[in-house]
Amino acid sequence: MKETFYITTPIYYPSGKLHIGNTYTTVLCDTINRYKNLRGFDTRYLTGMDEHGQKVQTVALELGKTPQEHVDDIAEDTKKLWNMLDIQYDDFIRTTEKRHKTIVKQIFEKLLDQDDIYLGEYEGYYCMPDESFFTETQLGENHTCPDCGRPTTIVKEESYFLRLSKYEKRLLDFIDKNPDFITPESRKNEVVSFIKQGLFDLSVSRTSFDWGIKVISNPAHVVYVWIDALSNYISALGYGTDDNSLYEKYWKGDEVIHVVGKDILRFHAIFWPIMLMALDIPITFKLYAHGWYMMKDGKMSKSKGKVVYPEPLIERYGLDPVRYYLLRELPYAGDGVFTPEDFVARTNFDLANDFGNLLNRTINMINKYFDSNLEKPKPSNSSFDEELIQKTQDTVLAFQTNMDELKVAAAIQEIWSLVSRTNKYIDETTPWVLAKDEDKKVDLQRVMYNLVEAIRHIGILLRPILLEASEELFKQLNISEHLQTWESLKWGELGDIEVTKSPVPIFPRLDKETEEEYLTNLLNNKVVPVKAIEEDLIDISDFAKLDIVVGEILECAKHPDADKLLVSKINTLDKVRQIVSGISAYYTPEELVGKKVVVIKNLKPVKIRGILSEGMILAGKNKKDLEVLSVNALNAGDKIS
Ligand code: ME8
């Protein structure tokens, strides 16, 4: 049976749009989850929203919405963002859902019944106009309200408390016996010294607002954030319900990881295990606390307008450069600074130059020297080859070790070290010199094979990180699915090679000045004209070069040697032309006969798997579907412009 792996993000407050800080946590978990999937684990990835509390109530009021309407809107936006980032979560829990509220109510009553929760009085700094309590550390100068700046007063309120002090010793023992419970080590030490100073019981209910889960036995109280929020990790698994199979499988399974930001580590490292001890639920999870993304001049702050949102970055640069930057720039145990200069440099140097160029150069050379086809060579022993092979194997191991320890930035560095080594291999073996000497053809063949084999390994390691580029890499190198798996990470698994005849660079270089200026404006919240990157723009005369017409499909059949291809005979009036298209996963030949489709006539004819193709049928595509463009009123040969 497969080992199980359960990973969670914090559930986010719906106080506004999510920024790159929250996005970082979600992308990090997505990458780790995809890695575990690649390794063959039975994985489950949970994220969601923490939708109760006074702040939400106040914000909703300001927006003229009910709190529920407000959180519904933000949850919708958040899901859209995760979609944009291709986050592969299995469940999205919202604390306003019935499945969650029922469990929180049960948990609260149980803790109350067994006297782990008791009624007392909460004393705090209260802002009358905002109707909010604050702790001393949250206050502004002279004990003013951090939200509105007006003076606060000390007010007492009836509140339930969770007995933390009772579990202090047990918790310290637990941390001692489970040295990898909290990572990084430096953060664990902070938690331990905090506990050793002595724990105060935690206020877990409020009477000053009502946007929350009501305490069953005393509905004047709502459950205050942390018992509500932390329970999401098990309520989402059906804990305490008739169907608790997910809880049994994943919570009690092989590996459970909560990824949190450093600011909420204490809640997860102290309150959560104590809650579980009190509830007699096994503490199966490990905690990883990451640092923060800062701006050059300090913390990101929505109220000061110093904040970076991911959407404009993805729209302008694409998904992979954003994922890459976020994962690569934040060190394992520290903070990172988001700067325009670094973003452009990472995209240009790491992605476009080092990695993109390696792939592009390799394909171009195979086209030039071997007309895109290369037989697998006999193994041989040049010292350059041995070094490259050794480096590739070492990289796989180093990548794995780092990923298993959640050191994702370091794991990415390992891949780039192999990228550099592979580029160096080209310089060492000088294929352009080998190509001049017919006697060196076998050497050249071996060099090309080794390049593709190293790049295939890089592609597999990149699958959890660069989602589109890794797919594109396999496509351009024509590498079949069984050679994209973790199990296929063995040198020499690759057979004969047939690369694309028309390689496209996967990462365009950014113009340094333009993009740094664009990003600086974006970071300063200046209105930025939406402008596509220059290299993507074409002139109308470029478009006019295409000869596009209506073509009527007269005959269609499966390609004899390739499952994914169909071969159509199409009347474009000037002649009946044969076109090979990769659409057989979406259409049967019968469905296409009689269709009037859109055809590019003046593409250079090419042989695709041995069959001549004289043009291209246009189709639209998304992740699920592909649809061939077709017309009704027009006839074969009619021009499209
Ligand atoms: O704390 N860089 O929610 P939240 C990196 N609802 N991470 C950052 C960041 C930054 N600049 N700013 C925020 C909550 N984060 C609670 C969690 S879980 C049971 C309840 C991270 O929306 C922050 O560290 O305020 C935290 O991990 C996460 O975003 C959610 O923050």
Side-chain angles (χ1 to χ4, degrees):
M1 239 187 17
K2 284 182 175 183
E3 279 183 54
T4 62
F5 178 74
Y6 177 42
I7 189 164
T8 65
T9 69
I11 45 173
Y12 302 107
Y13 285 134
S15 42
K17 274 163 64 68
L18 300 194
H19 53 66
I20 58 152
N22 324 110
T23 302
Y24 167 73
T25 320
T26 314
V27 169
L28 180 73
C29 290
D30 184 61
T31 298
I32 298 166
N33 187 52
R34 281 172 186 268
Y35 162 73
K36 288 286 182 179
N37 248 311
L38 190 63
R39 296 285 314 278
F41 284 72
D42 174 344
T43 63
R44 189 158 185 90
Y45 177 10
L46 173 71
T47 187
M49 303 293 294
D50 188 0
E51 301 187 324
H52 290 125
Q54 176 152 33
K55 186 113 190 214
V56 177
Q57 198 166 2
T58 315
V59 172
L61 202 70
E62 282 166 7
L63 295 170
K65 295 179 187 174
T66 64
Q68 191 63 53
E69 283 166 352
H70 172 62
V71 296
D72 286 350
D73 288 348
I74 301 270
E76 189 74 9
D77 283 354
T78 306
K79 283 184 180 168
K80 269 192 207 142
L81 175 61
W82 298 157
N83 219 359
M84 218 173 159
L85 281 150
D86 212 348
I87 304 295
Q88 248 174 16
Y89 58 82
D90 297 289
D91 194 359
F92 188 98
I93 180 100
R94 299 178 54 191
T95 53
T96 51
E97 285 175 278
K98 186 155 176 264
R99 61 170 171 158
H100 176 74
K101 292 198 280 192
T102 315
I103 295 307
V104 171
K105 285 182 182 178
Q106 273 177 27
I107 287 178
F108 200 97
E109 289 305 311
K110 181 165 194 292
L111 294 174
L112 201 57
D113 282 353
Q114 60 192 42
D115 195 37
D116 278 311
I117 285 181
Y118 62 92
L119 194 59
E121 246 181 8
Y122 172 79
E123 190 177 273
Y125 294 87
Y126 191 69
C127 172
M128 293 288 180
D130 284 349
E131 294 177 31
S132 302
F133 274 103
F134 298 101
T135 60
E136 189 154 8
T137 49
Q138 291 172 316
L139 295 178
E141 264 175 45
N142 300 323
H143 293 164
T144 49
C145 168
D147 285 345
C148 69
R150 282 176 278 215
T152 58
T153 41
I154 294 181
V155 168
K156 281 187 183 170
E157 182 188 275
E158 190 185 71
S159 169
Y160 286 101
F161 285 83
L162 178 65
R163 291 188 200 280
L164 297 185
S165 39
K166 176 176 157 189
Y167 291 93
E168 201 176 292
K169 169 100 188 35
R170 239 177 100 182
L171 181 61
L172 281 173
D173 281 352
F174 177 84
I175 297 177
D176 195 42
K177 288 206 184 82
N178 296 276
D180 56 353
F181 175 53
I182 304 167
T183 50
E185 182 82 16
S186 53
R187 304 238 188 262
K188 173 178 127 174
N189 297 338
E190 285 165 21
V191 170
V192 170
S193 62
F194 181 83
I195 302 172
K196 284 185 174 161
Q197 285 167 23
L199 295 177
F200 294 104
D201 293 347
L202 174 74
S203 161
V204 290
S205 77
R206 286 288 184 276
T207 53
S208 52
F209 62 90
D210 62 1
W211 180 243
I213 301 173
K214 291 204 164 45
V215 174
I216 299 181
S217 53
N218 187 355
H221 288 252
V222 292
V223 179
Y224 186 58
V225 291
W226 287 101
I227 287 195
D228 178 358
L230 290 162
S231 307
N232 91 87
Y233 301 130
I234 50 173
S235 70
L237 295 176
Y239 164 80
T241 66
D242 290 344
D243 181 7
N244 67 352
S245 53
L246 289 175
Y247 168 78
E248 289 293 327
K249 179 173 180 187
Y250 291 104
W251 189 260
K252 297 190 177 171
D254 298 296
E255 211 177 335
V256 181
I257 292 180
H258 296 318
V259 175
V260 298
K262 60 180 182 179
D263 55 318
I264 55 171
L265 173 62
R266 242 179 235 177
F267 301 100
H268 285 79
I270 299 174
F271 308 152
W272 184 220
I274 287 180
M275 265 176 74
L276 295 175
M277 282 173 186
L279 291 165
D280 213 10
I281 295 175
I283 304 169
T284 50
F285 68 88
K286 294 198 169 36
L287 282 168
Y288 168 58
H290 63 72
W292 271 32
Y293 263 112
M294 315 287 273
M295 308 281 270
K296 272 182 196 160
D297 47 0
K299 263 184 158 182
M300 268 196 263
S301 149
K302 282 185 198 167
S303 55
K304 292 187 190 139
K306 282 197 313 185
V307 60
V308 191
Y309 295 109
E311 290 90 341
L313 296 177
I314 303 167
E315 271 159 21
R316 192 169 174 87
Y317 303 106
L319 173 60
D320 284 342
V322 177
R323 281 179 73 107
Y324 180 79
Y325 181 86
L326 290 178
L327 295 170
R328 176 70 183 72
E329 274 301 307
L330 201 72
Y332 173 68
D335 292 331
V337 182
F338 188 103
T339 74
E341 296 77 18
D342 288 343
F343 186 89
V344 173
R346 286 268 171 236
T347 308
N348 277 350
F349 297 135
D350 296 13
L351 298 181
N353 278 10
D354 296 349
F355 169 58
N357 241 347
L358 171 64
L359 176 68
N360 206 249
R361 269 170 99 187
T362 302
I363 296 178
N364 283 332
M365 288 192 286
I366 295 176
N367 276 323
K368 190 164 163 199
Y369 305 139
F370 292 94
D371 193 21
S372 86
N373 279 286
L374 189 79
E375 268 179 33
K376 180 173 179 173
K378 305 229 159 28
S380 105
N381 289 323
S382 106
S383 62
F384 297 141
D385 302 344
E386 301 263 300
E387 260 188 56
L388 181 69
I389 296 169
Q390 190 60 47
K391 174 73 186 172
T392 307
Q393 284 160 350
D394 291 348
T395 302
V396 172
L397 286 180
F399 175 83
Q400 179 180 336
T401 309
N402 279 301
M403 287 301 284
D404 287 343
E405 291 174 5
L406 311 180
K407 294 176 177 160
V408 176
I412 295 177
Q413 273 180 43
E414 294 293 342
I415 304 179
W416 255 260
S417 152
L418 176 59
V419 169
S420 299
R421 184 63 193 82
T422 314
N423 275 317
K424 189 171 150 213
Y425 176 78
I426 300 181
D427 298 337
E428 288 167 344
T429 53
T430 57
W432 50 94
V433 177
L434 297 178
K436 288 194 186 124
D437 186 346
E438 194 50 36
D439 293 345
K440 297 275 166 63
K441 191 88 183 174
V442 180
D443 292 336
L444 185 61
Q445 181 190 357
R446 205 185 58 247
V447 168
M448 291 301 122
Y449 177 88
N450 287 344
L451 282 174
V452 178
E453 190 54 324
I455 297 173
R456 181 180 73 89
H457 280 70
I458 292 168
I460 296 173
L461 302 185
L462 281 176
R463 277 183 57 188
I465 299 154
L466 302 181
L467 310 183
E468 290 168 348
S470 56
E471 221 175 85
E472 189 57 30
L473 173 155
F474 294 129
K475 206 165 121 198
Q476 296 198 16
L477 293 175
N478 232 323
I479 287 177
S480 54
E481 260 172 42
H482 75 281
L483 293 171
Q484 302 175 15
T485 62
W486 186 266
E487 293 67 37
S488 74
L489 282 171
K490 283 185 212 109
W491 193 273
E493 287 285 289
L494 183 67
D496 298 346
I497 294 167
E498 185 188 346
V499 299
T500 178
K501 281 196 179 342
S502 40
V504 188
I506 37 181
F507 292 107
R509 263 187 77 85
L510 304 178
D511 179 71
K512 183 170 158 16
E513 239 169 69
T514 318
E515 298 314 314
E516 285 181 1
E517 189 191 333
Y518 172 88
L519 287 164
T520 306
N521 285 336
L522 192 72
L523 264 53
N524 291 330
N525 262 323
K526 290 205 187 123
V527 180
V528 185
V530 178
K531 183 166 86 98
I533 295 167
E534 282 303 329
E535 283 168 68
D536 286 345
L537 297 178
I538 60 163
D539 233 88
I540 186 76
S541 60
D542 293 323
F543 179 71
K545 285 183 195 154
L546 298 174
D547 190 356
I548 311 178
V549 298
V550 175
E552 184 174 1
I553 302 187
L554 305 176
E555 290 171 33
C556 183
K558 291 210 161 191
H559 190 296
D561 299 322
D563 287 349
K564 290 187 182 152
L565 303 178
L566 292 182
V567 183
S568 309
K569 296 260 164 57
I570 303 181
N571 174 17
T572 48
L573 207 63
D574 54 334
K575 69 182 225 175
V576 173
R577 61 185 66 234
Q578 176 167 281
I579 296 184
V580 180
S581 350
I583 54 176
S584 93
Y586 305 93
Y587 290 94
T588 61
E590 296 73 38
E591 282 172 322
L592 288 174
V593 173
K595 255 192 193 305
K596 288 189 280 184
V597 295
V598 178
V599 172
I600 302 187
K601 251 173 42 176
N602 60 337
L603 276 186
K604 277 193 192 132
V606 283
K607 273 197 175 168
I608 303 181
R609 295 283 173 110
I611 292 199
L612 184 73
S613 184
E614 309 164 287
M616 186 163 98
I617 301 176
L618 294 189
K621 193 170 179 205
N622 61 23
K623 287 213 169 75
K624 279 206 308 278
D625 297 313
L626 175 145
E627 198 173 354
V628 163
L629 301 186
S630 61
V631 297
N632 288 323
L634 298 176
N635 294 313
D638 286 349
K639 181 130 185 70
I640 292 175
S641 56

